[in-house]
Amino acid sequence: MNRIVTLAAVLLTAAAVPTQLPAETRHPAGRRPASAAPSADGEWLPAEQHLDKQALRPRYRQWMQPAGGVPVTQNPPALLWPAGGDDVTGYRIELSPSPEFPAAQTLTSEQPWAVWALHRPLAPGRYWWRVTTFTRKGAPQRSAACEFVVADSARRFATPTGDELVQRLAAQSHPRLYVTVDGIGALRRRSATNPEAQEFLTRARRRIDMEPVPVAPTRPRDTTGMSPFQKRSLINFMYHKFGEVVTQPIVDFSLAWLLTGDEAWRTAVVRHARYVASLPVDSDATSEDFNRSAIMYGLAFGYDTACERMTDDERAAVLEAIRVRGERFYRQYVRDFECHSMDNHVWQHTFRNFLFTALATLGDLPEAERWLRYCYEVWCGRFPILGGDDGGWHDGSSYMQANLVTFIYVPFVLSRLTGSDFFALPWYRNLPSFLAYSFPKDSYATGFGDDYEKMTSPTQLYMGFADALARETHSPLARWYADRLIGADPANLYRSKGFMLYRILTDKPRDCVAPEPPVRNTSRFFPDAGFSLMHTDPADAGDDLMAAFFALPFGSTGHAHAAHNGFTINYGGRPLFGGTGYYSNFNDRHTLLHYRTRGHNTLLIDSLAQVIGENGYGWLARFADTEALTYTLGDASHAYDSIRTPFWIDRMEKSGVAYTRENGLGDPGVTRFRRHFLFLRPDVIVLYDELAARQPVTWTWLLHGNNRLTRCGAAAVETSNGRATGRMDLFTAEPMQLRITDEFFSPAINWKRRTGPDGRVLEYARQWHSEFTPEGRSRTQRFLAIFRITPEGAQPLELKRRADGTIRVGEWTVRAELDGSRPPRLEVTDRRGNGVRYNTSSSTVAGSTLILRPGAPARELVDTVPASVR
């Protein structure tokens, strides 16, 4: 597969260069001097970074990375490039410390897919690389050379090459997927004293003689009267997880044999594998990608454990059932998936099943070797796909949950097979903070992403995941988080069925690290994914004021929402202000028109919502956290646009959603949306918005809640969640109209007849929406919002506005420039010397933010582009 030319000492002598931001992240005119007078009409200030790409993460890769002389964060890096057209057959990749690519100093690889994980660390220095693309017709096309830098500070993460992994596996007999012949004895000895393993075996023994699972919907529904597109969606919904259900006997009985060695289990595996192998590849029950991959994996696991018990005909039938499914996935993935920004189902389930199928059948299926090489290169080259180093995850807590099993089992298996610690990535080391700060025990989560409304408290899957993460990373915070979810009875952990197999297989004990809770009055920043998470007490939801602020560089796609510069506020674990609506699927009219877009605490411009798609993006530019406050600046200047992604245009058409301004869809011409978010502990939140458009528009400031919103002033609303009252006062330079309604922009209809925990069909409750619209149209606009959160039984803080516009709220004084014709300015201070000053005369760079602490020098912030999109 690879042709390698050794670089020898050449790579050890390449010169290092200093770190710098790539050119595309800087304002085209560069930094203006601090004395430059900032314009009020949408111009960029010297402290600001202007991102001018249409999408930071296009749906399919459009440029080569790394490039532009950027310093890479990991050594070795992965080389990534666009896949090209449908007639592409493969690539030759060249890497050299010289732009001339001399043969003796050039590393070369030839492969059919568009990712190359280098695996071996490079010597510090400057490197060039290029790609030659081969097609069925026409001459090969060579790219221009791209340049990157490996600095001494880049973290080193070495892994075996694909060749080495294949050689290691080829030398192993079956079983090999989860345990080898050499390790099976130790597993059986541990399991003999493992209560969870023995409980599993007891359940399995009761089912050993069960009949094969009949083909039937897992959740029957009536499709009468539905459009063809709705009907197809509902059929997939009806048979969801059928693949897991029909192969569960194979998986369970295979594990039972690994734990006991009793041949009765392998006999049962063969019986069920024969049946599953006979199922059609394409049917309502088996063609959906989750079901197809689950069937493929279940057969592969059964083959790995029981192939010696199969007849030649049985082995051939099982392998052919695996092969035909695996080849479909491979043909679907190669030169597509590795270039896709976020192919949700693949990263959630099907990639893991495909990889494990390849591991189990290597040497028995000729195709398995290329499956394995492909999966291994993609994982090493692209994970974490929807995050960076900081531990955050783009999709939010609900659909992050769909990835948790893959997050543990893939690195767990690869670490065992390779000897490299695949949990050593910074993303895994920082992930415990994202768990603890985005989704505390007994609390709603951040209120972002599809199905967020269901995330009212961490699930059993989160419990098992945090436990496995603590064992693998030795994180005190992950151990504390897991223990909090487990509670006083250790057996509660057994309820997390998704990680039962991990707990049985691992030899890492639960008590390998002492728990350590998060500290009161702290926040955490995840710019790579796009979240700022703020708390008064992240360790105790009952006494916690939690705010989440988000602007996502990956864009409004996947299961993420068009809610850049949006926010949620919870108190006591329950939402006060947050998003509204209900998720059905990607294609539901309510989901497209309300839930993902205008149902969040952002803005409408000329009644148009933010755009769904990768071209609708935001990013978090500044952050500071002190004992008194947390400050975050978000930029959503690219959040409003026309829908450009063919995928979303297709979804609109199939769902019968017209792309019209009447439906709130279109480009209003926004050029600036910068939102300053201040969390003033313990009970005040301040927002300051800077807005500009290409032409005069109508600006509408949105605030939503699950509970009744009540007008309590000309531009103020109030709500209660039973544990606290939240009041928001909004200020701008001109009078505003306030509209409050409990009607969705597009009605929420439970056409899938989803059921609740009690088994009854859910009735979607109405929720509350407020819209603040200044009179008249303007090219520029400023808003200042002040939230006061008052726990039940306490007295609310007094808010006073003086004649000069200065606002006093509790111990804090707020001054803000609300005239859109003047330069923006914000100053928030208290009597002790804490505060934030934005674009004041105190700044040494115009447009910077000063963070004030008593007795300490002021800290000056300018924009920093997230590493995940540099």
Side-chain angles (χ1 to χ4, degrees), residues 1-2 4 160-168 369 373 376:
M1 185 67 66
N2 292 331
I4 303 297
T161 65
D163 286 336
E164 292 168 337
L165 177 59
V166 167
Q167 291 170 8
R168 291 185 189 189
E369 181 175 338
R373 288 178 180 275
Y376 184 60

Side-chain angles (χ1 to χ4, degrees), residues 495-508:
R495 294 185 292 117
S496 187
K497 301 299 183 184
F499 293 97
M500 180 195 69
L501 176 60
Y502 167 83
R503 292 190 295 272
I504 290 174
L505 292 172
T506 187
D507 59 0
K508 296 179 175 66

Side-chain angles (χ1 to χ4, degrees), residues 232-267:
R232 182 69 260 168
S233 297
L234 193 57
I235 287 173
N236 286 343
F237 178 82
M238 289 164 58
Y239 283 98
H240 188 57
K241 294 192 175 182
F242 172 77
E244 293 180 26
V245 173
V246 77
T247 57
Q248 197 64 52
I250 301 175
V251 171
D252 286 350
F253 300 156
S254 293
L255 177 57
W257 178 80
L258 291 176
L259 298 182
T260 65
D262 186 341
E263 289 301 320
W265 296 117
R266 292 212 290 190
T267 299

Side-chain angles (χ1 to χ4, degrees), residues 347-349 352 397-406 461:
W347 286 106
Q348 291 166 9
H349 297 276
R352 180 184 75 248
S397 297
S398 178
Y399 270 89
M400 181 177 180
Q401 176 179 240
N403 294 269
L404 296 183
V405 170
T406 292
L461 198 61

